Amino acid sequence: MAQVSLRKVVKAYEGGVQAVKGIDLEIADHEFVVLVGPSGCGKSTTLRMIAGLEEITGGDIAIGGTVVNDIPPRDRDIAMVFQNYALYPHMSVYDNMAFGLTLRKFPKAEIDKRVKEAARILDITPLLERKPKALSGGQRQRVAMGRAIVRDPKVFLFDEPLSNLDAKLRVQMRTEIKKVHQTVKTTTIYVTHDQVEAMTLADRVVVMNHGVIEQVGPPQVLYHTPATRFVAGFIGSPAMNFIPARLEEASGALRLHLPGGMSVDIPEARTARYRSYAGKDVVFGIRPEHLTDDKPTDKTNPAPMILTPEVIEPMGMETLAHFKLEGAELTARLDPATPAEVGQPLRLIAHMDQMHLIDPTTDKVI
Ligand SMILES: Nc1ncnc2c1ncn2[C@@H]1O[C@H](COP(=O)(O)OP(=O)(O)OP(=O)(O)O)[C@@H](O)[C@H]1O
Ligand SMILES: [Mg+2]
C-alpha cells in the first residue's frame, strides 16, 4: 500500500491539446480519492498517467515515495479496473482471477489462497467454476474487481467501472466497492463523471474542469463550502440555483436585490464577509433544498420569495418545483404535501444561512 503524489503534472497530446494542465495532488495511504468532472476534463488522462499507460509531458508522479515517471506500468504495482473489463470468455471465474498471478509465476497454493479470499470478500465463491457468459453484469464487474484484488497492489485505479451497469445495479455495486475498500484498505483512485458516485464513495473528492483541479476536499466540505461557481453547480443534485443579484447596504445591513423586484436580507453573520461587495453585481447561489415551502405558521420568514411554478414533479419523498426568474431557471425541493400549483404564485423561504455569494467576474465563491 502506498501514498500517491502528483506534482505539477502536465499532459499535452499531439496537436497541442493540454488535457492536464499542471495538477498537484497528494493522496494518502489507504485513502479513497475520486476524480470527478465533466466529459473531457482530463480524469482518464490523469488516471492513465498514474498507471503508466500514458507518458507524462511534465511534472512528477510518485507512488510510495518513488518517482515512477520512467517505470513501466507492469512494474508500478497498481491494478486498474476499466469500464470495459473484458474477461476471458473461455476461462472460468477462478481462472480469470488467477490469470495475472499465474503469468507472474506465483506458487499455486498462494494463487488459490488469494483467489478464494477475493471471492469471499466479493461474495462470488459459488460462481468460481462458471464462465463469464453465465454471469450477470454485476457479477462480471465483481470478477473484474477480483482480478484487481488478488494482485494485492499498492494502488487500485478505477475508471468509470460501473457505467455499463443499469441504475439499480450501479447503486448496489457502489456499496460493494465501498465495503471492499473498508476491508482491504488499498489506496484507491476512482474516476467518474457522476457526482453522486463521487460523494458517496470518496474520502476526498477532486473536482476537475478543463484539465485543472477546481477543488479538493471531503464530500461534505465541497457541498457546504464550494470554492468556485463550477464546484457549487457540479456538486449536489438537483444543482444549485444561481440568480443574478445586486448587493446593497442600508444602515449597516446588507440586502440582496433579485430580479422581479424581490429582495432578501443577508444574515448578520455574513455581513463582514460580504461588505466589500456592497453596491456591486453578484450571483446569489441557493440550493434547491434550501428553497422550501414557507410555513404559514412561521411569521418570521426572513427571506420570502414569491415564485410561480412552471413545472411540478412529485418524487414521493419530496416534490420538485421549477420556476423561471427573468432568465434564471430555479428549482425548489418542496414538502410532498406542498400546496404548490402550476401557474399559482407560491411563497417560498430561502434559508439564507445556507446561501452562497459568487463574484461574477472571477466565478469564485465569496
Ligand atoms: N489520445 C489522445 N489524443 C489527443 N487528445 C486526446 C487523447 N486522449 C484524450 N484526449 C483529449 O484530452 C482531453 C481529456 O480527455 P480524458 O479522456 O482525460 O477526459 P475524461 O475526463 O476522462 O472524459 P470522459 O468523462 O468523457 O471519459 C479531451 O479533450 C480529449 O479529447
Ligand atoms: Mg474518461
Side-chain angles (χ1 to χ4, degrees), residues 11-15 17-20 36-48 54 83 159-160 191-193 208 211:
K11 176 68 191 185
Y13 285 110
E14 276 164 44
V17 188
Q18 272 216 359
V20 175
V36 70
S39 187
C41 72
K43 307 180 294 291
S44 296
T45 301
T46 303
L47 203 69
R48 291 170 59 80
E54 206 72 76
Q83 174 182 349
D159 194 350
E160 310 252 10
V191 163
T192 179
H193 60 268
M208 292 184 69

Side-chain angles (χ1 to χ4, degrees), residues 29-347:
D29 194 12
H30 302 318
E31 201 176 14
F32 197 125
V33 161
V34 177
L35 309 183
V36 70
S39 187
C41 72
K43 307 180 294 291
S44 296
T45 301
T46 303
L47 203 69
R48 291 170 59 80
M49 287 192 288
I50 297 168
L53 301 172
E54 206 72 76
E55 250 182 66
I56 65 176
T57 312
D60 284 317
I61 296 179
I63 299 175
T66 308
V67 172
V68 296
N69 295 10
D70 301 319
I71 296 179
R74 54 162 298 136
D75 298 328
R76 289 191 187 192
D77 201 3
I78 42 128
M80 192 148 173
V81 180
F82 298 94
Q83 174 182 349
N84 296 313
Y85 41 80
L87 302 175
Y88 300 107
H90 57 286
M91 287 186 196
S92 66
V93 166
Y94 185 102
D95 290 336
N96 262 286
M97 283 164 65
F99 188 65
L101 300 181
T102 311
L103 277 188
R104 286 178 166 76
K105 309 236 180 330
F106 273 66
K108 254 198 155 62
E110 176 65 19
I111 295 177
D112 191 62
K113 187 173 137 240
R114 289 198 189 187
V115 169
K116 286 186 174 150
E117 173 62 8
R120 189 189 61 76
I121 292 170
L122 293 162
D123 204 14
I124 52 173
T125 306
L127 307 178
L128 283 173
E129 294 315 315
R130 286 209 204 159
K131 296 275 168 61
K133 69 171 187 307
L135 301 176
S136 71
Q139 290 166 337
R140 281 181 211 157
Q141 185 60 53
R142 274 170 224 245
V143 179
M145 279 171 56
R147 267 194 319 207
I149 291 173
V150 296
R151 297 260 315 275
D152 189 21
K154 282 193 189 134
V155 182
F156 282 137
L157 303 177
F158 289 94
D159 194 350
E160 310 252 10
L162 306 183
S163 47
N164 280 357
L165 306 178
D166 67 50
K168 194 168 159 213
L169 200 51
R170 217 155 50 218
V171 173
Q172 218 177 321
M173 284 304 296
R174 194 172 81 198
T175 316
E176 292 297 324
I177 289 178
K178 195 156 183 163
K179 268 195 224 156
V180 168
H181 182 256
Q182 282 163 5
T183 310
V184 303
K185 298 195 171 65
T186 307
T187 309
T188 300
I189 310 173
Y190 186 107
V191 163
T192 179
H193 60 268
D194 178 347
Q195 59 94 19
V196 177
E197 219 167 275
M199 295 284 279
T200 49
L201 282 170
D203 294 322
R204 282 189 307 153
V205 177
V206 178
V207 181
M208 292 184 69
N209 189 24
H210 296 309
V212 301
I213 292 177
E214 290 261 337
Q215 193 173 0
V216 182
Q220 292 299 338
V221 170
L222 295 197
Y223 176 84
H224 288 291
T225 52
T228 62
R229 177 176 174 145
F230 180 80
V231 175
F234 195 80
I235 299 290
S237 176
M240 188 185 288
N241 298 302
F242 295 115
I243 308 168
R246 196 175 172 82
L247 193 66
E248 297 292 356
E249 181 164 6
S251 44
L254 292 176
R255 220 172 150 69
L256 257 187
H257 293 267
L258 308 178
M262 283 185 292
S263 62
V264 288
D265 288 327
I266 299 284
E268 220 179 297
R270 302 277 186 107
T271 38
R273 180 155 142 205
Y274 296 155
R275 192 179 310 279
S276 63
Y277 282 81
K280 291 187 181 156
D281 286 335
V282 291
V283 175
F284 173 41
I286 187 99
R287 294 194 185 276
E289 49 272 45
H290 303 137
L291 203 54
T292 61
D293 296 280
D294 191 13
K295 299 275 184 291
T297 47
D298 181 8
K299 297 276 179 271
T300 60
N301 180 351
M305 287 177 63
I306 301 187
L307 294 167
T308 305
E310 290 201 322
V311 177
I312 294 176
E313 300 176 314
M315 311 284 285
M317 61 182 279
E318 64 185 4
T319 291
L320 298 181
H322 302 280
F323 316 88
K324 259 206 196 83
L325 183 58
E326 291 188 7
E329 308 256 356
L330 308 185
T331 304
R333 291 174 96 144
L334 308 178
D335 195 277
T338 178
E341 277 182 56
V342 170
Q344 297 297 317
L346 180 72
R347 251 179 89 93

